[in-house]
Amino acid sequence: MLPLAKFWTWVGHSFIPLAAGWAYFVRNGPDEGVLISRGYFGWALTLLVGAALIFALGRYVSLAKARHAAILMPPNTTFEDANNRNLTISWVTLVVFAFSLIAANILFASRYADSRIHRWNDPAPLEESFWGSRIKAHQIPCSERSCFAISKRVRSSGPVRDVMQYLPFYTDGLLLLFAAAQLAALVYLAVVLSR
């Protein structure tokens, strides 16, 4: 169980400063397209980290129940060990990790929700709505290497670097896959807790 606790602690402690720093760069930057691209990557990472943390928590609780442990939560191995548990530290760690994941999901998802699909060098979106622009992108055939961008990548002074390419099925599909992994981890945790 100690490797799970170390994984839980390391992933959670690594994610918090990374998400906080990335949140700054998602809200502050030279161009909206770049900010939306950063939001996409921040959300993808948050979904992956959430799936890993929730699964590790569920697995730890499952093993702790099987061993009839007094404390079901994993220890924060930075401050606790198997022989010296502090329930307050364990609870605070759980709350901080959960709050960080919820806040990061909201922040990065809301930034990515500003995305409107554009043709690669077109300043106008395909449609003015998030879903409408994606539906339109799926309907337009394109044989070029770079057909679409997740936001405007052209301004009066020329192209903007670091605006992500939009690949129909793949760009949003990857987020759906990571979201499904996080949801599956939540379902697993709920099943473990209800047993």
Side-chain angles (χ1 to χ4, degrees), residues 36-139:
I36 290 170
S37 297
R38 291 174 183 170
Y40 175 88
F41 289 112
W43 195 21
L45 178 66
T46 300
L47 291 170
L48 272 177
V49 167
L53 280 176
I54 295 165
F55 180 77
L57 176 61
R59 187 69 185 132
Y60 188 93
V61 169
S62 176
L63 292 172
K65 281 185 169 188
R67 295 180 184 183
H68 305 290
I71 301 174
L72 297 179
M73 265 180 290
N76 181 332
T77 56
T78 305
F79 306 106
E80 304 174 89
D81 58 40
N83 300 323
N84 186 20
R85 294 296 308 270
N86 183 322
L87 196 54
T88 303
I89 291 174
S90 296
W91 272 108
V92 168
T93 300
L94 176 68
V95 169
V96 169
F97 288 179
F99 175 78
S100 298
L101 284 173
I102 291 168
N105 269 304
I106 291 169
L107 173 73
F108 298 133
S110 65
R111 172 47 82 189
Y112 186 61
D114 294 335
S115 168
R116 306 292 180 265
I117 305 305
H118 290 62
R119 279 201 177 267
W120 190 245
N121 287 318
D122 192 347
L126 298 175
E127 292 284 335
E128 289 299 327
S129 69
F130 180 87
W131 292 113
S133 65
R134 279 154 175 76
I135 291 168
K136 192 83 167 177
H138 285 268
Q139 294 170 346

Side-chain angles (χ1 to χ4, degrees), residues 40 112 138 166-180:
Y40 175 88
Y112 186 61
H138 285 268
Y166 180 80
L167 302 169
F169 299 107
Y170 296 104
T171 303
D172 291 331
L174 190 63
L175 287 178
L176 285 173
L177 180 67
F178 293 165

